[in-house]
């Protein structure tokens, strides 16, 4: 049976958005059977992957 390694979530990111946007986002996440935190993490991972090619290469 393969092991599924989940990275430890040990940091927080606090953002400020309008209450109406937050409420609509949370409501939509509920309707889609997901969580707001999961979707924000997914956005961050996708954003980082899309911009990985933009990072300067480190010299060894």
């Amino acid at each position: 049976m393969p092991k599924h390694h989940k990275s430890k979530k040990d940091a927080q990111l606090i953002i400020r958005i309008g209450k109406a946007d937050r409420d609509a986002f949370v409501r939509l996440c509920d309707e889609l059977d997901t969580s707001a935190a999961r979707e924000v993490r997914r956005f961050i991972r996708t954003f980082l992957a899309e911009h990985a090619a933009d990072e300067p290469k480190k010299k060894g």
Side-chain angles (χ1 to χ4, degrees), residues 12-28:
Q12 289 184 341
L13 176 66
I14 298 172
I15 60 169
R16 296 185 60 84
I17 62 172
K19 183 180 182 326
D21 286 342
R22 192 240 6 232
D23 291 348
F25 180 66
V26 170
R27 187 170 35 256
L28 181 56

Side-chain angles (χ1 to χ4, degrees), residues 16-49:
R16 296 185 60 84
I17 62 172
K19 183 180 182 326
D21 286 342
R22 192 240 6 232
D23 291 348
F25 180 66
V26 170
R27 187 170 35 256
L28 181 56
C29 288
D30 286 344
E31 290 173 11
L32 297 173
D33 195 29
T34 187
S35 70
R38 181 181 299 139
E39 295 307 316
V40 170
R41 286 191 299 268
R42 185 170 64 90
F43 166 78
I44 291 171
R45 285 191 301 271
T46 301
F47 186 85
L48 290 173

Side-chain angles (χ1 to χ4, degrees), residues 46-57:
T46 301
F47 186 85
L48 290 173
E50 288 173 355
H51 293 85
D54 297 342
E55 294 182 18
K57 304 287 188 233

